[in-house]
């Protein structure tokens, strides 16, 4: 069965349900531009949103799958939970490439006493640019999910119109006691530039997640960074990088690490 292309421009699609459900967008090529897709959440510009409020047994997953390419510009793919419910996972998969741009948000977030879902991306080529950001976070006593990326080539670069940096991060909020999620990246080539960041952070009592990168070629330049930090009473999860070759450059001289 041949799949067609899916393109949404300035569109609104809203679904709400108390029972378990899943948002699925499947096609040859998928483009979301200034559109809203909402499931049990609050509508916003270019939003794919799920909300799980009532029970830990009722998470709602989001799955976007393209045989070729996924492009999301100025959008949101957002799963959140509060009270005793758990948010669903966000799964993006494309046979050729995924591009997140122009301050697009891909986020799984826990509020109240709930746990957040994980963000999973698998594609040969991933670009996160112009202030786009991917995150799993907890602002509760529950645990954050993990960010897991598998791609042959990954590039993070550029800033949005608001000045926001392109970023992959996991966050424990200031009033949170939950555990932060791990960022796991498996790739042949990872490139960060123009202030882009991969980070875990805790500002509360919970421990931040660990950054774990398994890579052949790593490039970090132009003020980009990879970090794990503790700003509150919680502990940092640390950073682990396994690379065959690394190029690190900033304001000083470039450093090659074999």
């Amino acid at each position: 069965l041949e799949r067609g292309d899916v393109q949404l421009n300035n569109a609104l699609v809203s679904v709400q349900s108390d029972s378990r459900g899943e948002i699925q967008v499947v096609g040859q090529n998928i483009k979301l531009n200034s559109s809203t897709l909402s499931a049990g959440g609050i509508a916003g510009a270019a939003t794919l949103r799920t909300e799980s409020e009532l029970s830990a047994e009722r998470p709602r997953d989001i799955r976007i799958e393209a045989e070729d390419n996924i492009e999301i510009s100025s959008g949101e793919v957002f799963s959140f939970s509060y009270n005793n419910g758990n948010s669903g996972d966000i799964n993006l998969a494309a046979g050729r490439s995924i591009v997140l741009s122009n301050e697009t948000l891909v986020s799984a977030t826990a509020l109240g006493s709930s746990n957040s879902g994980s963000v999973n991306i698998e594609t040969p080529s991933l670009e996160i640019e112009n202030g786009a950001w991917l995150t799993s976070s907890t602002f509760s006593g529950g645990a954050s999910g993990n960010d897991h990326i598998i791609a042959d080539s990954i590039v993070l670069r550029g800033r949005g119109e608001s000045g926001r940096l392109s970023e992959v991060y996991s966050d424990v909020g200031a009033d949170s006691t939950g555990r932060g999620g791990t960022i796991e990246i498996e790739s042949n080539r990872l490139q960060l530039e123009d202030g882009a960041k991969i980070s875990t952070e805790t500002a509360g009592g919970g421990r931040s997640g660990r950054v774990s990168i398994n890579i052949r070629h790593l490039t970090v330049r132009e003020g980009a960074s990879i970090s794990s930090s503790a700003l509150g009473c919680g502990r940092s999860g640390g950073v682990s990088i396994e690379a065959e070759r690394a190029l690190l450059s900033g304001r000083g001289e470039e450093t090659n690490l074999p």
Side-chain angles (χ1 to χ4, degrees):
L1 179 63
E2 184 177 351
R3 295 177 176 177
D5 293 343
V6 178
Q7 181 166 335
L8 298 176
N9 297 310
N10 301 305
L12 170 62
V13 178
S14 180
V15 177
Q16 296 188 19
S17 173
D18 289 337
S19 62
R20 182 182 176 91
E22 182 178 58
I23 296 177
Q24 299 185 38
V25 181
V26 180
Q28 187 78 23
N29 296 284
I30 298 172
K31 292 185 179 181
L32 302 180
N33 299 306
S34 300
S35 298
T36 298
L37 285 78
S38 174
I42 301 172
T47 302
L48 238 74
R49 189 185 298 268
T50 65
E51 174 185 2
S52 181
E53 300 174 304
L54 302 176
S55 167
E57 298 179 355
R58 294 178 178 174
R60 298 179 180 89
D61 295 340
I62 296 175
R63 180 171 69 96
I64 306 176
E65 180 181 330
E67 290 190 10
D68 290 336
N69 307 297
I70 295 173
E71 298 179 23
I72 304 177
S73 176
S74 302
E76 290 182 352
V77 180
F78 192 72
S79 171
F80 71 94
S81 62
Y82 54 92
N83 296 331
N84 294 318
N86 295 327
S87 72
D89 294 337
I90 297 173
N91 302 294
L92 306 183
R96 292 187 177 179
S97 70
I98 296 176
V99 178
L100 309 176
S101 64
N102 299 323
E103 302 192 13
T104 285
L105 167 65
V106 177
S107 173
T109 302
L111 307 169
S113 58
S114 61
N115 301 318
S116 84
S118 294
V119 178
N120 305 300
I121 294 181
E122 187 167 0
T123 184
S125 175
L126 172 64
E127 296 183 23
I128 300 175
E129 58 187 16
N130 299 332
W133 43 308
L134 185 155
T135 176
S136 58
S137 303
T138 178
F139 298 91
S140 71
S144 170
N146 301 320
D147 297 332
H148 189 198
I149 300 173
I150 300 175
D152 182 65
S153 173
I154 302 171
V155 178
L156 280 76
R157 63 188 171 204
R159 301 169 184 254
E161 290 185 359
S162 69
R164 179 167 190 88
L165 299 170
S166 298
E167 187 172 9
V168 175
Y169 77 97
S170 178
D171 181 33
V172 178
D175 298 324
S176 304
T177 57
R179 173 186 54 80
T182 296
I183 296 175
E184 299 175 309
I185 296 176
E186 301 175 43
S187 181
N188 181 50
R189 185 177 301 274
L190 173 62
Q191 182 174 326
L192 287 80
E193 56 188 36
D194 192 20
K197 297 193 294 183
I198 296 175
S199 66
T200 62
E201 178 180 289
T202 177
R207 180 170 183 163
S208 72
R210 184 175 182 82
V211 178
S212 178
I213 298 175
N214 190 334
I215 196 83
R216 289 190 63 194
H217 302 285
L218 173 65
T219 301
V220 182
R221 62 187 181 188
E222 299 173 0
S225 64
I226 300 173
S227 66
S228 179
S229 60
L231 306 179
C233 57
R235 298 177 60 187
S236 167
V239 176
S240 172
I241 299 175
E242 295 185 17
E244 293 183 11
R245 186 174 181 84
L247 171 63
L248 311 177
S249 66
R251 296 176 181 174
E253 298 181 353
E254 290 189 351
T255 301
N256 283 282
L257 301 178

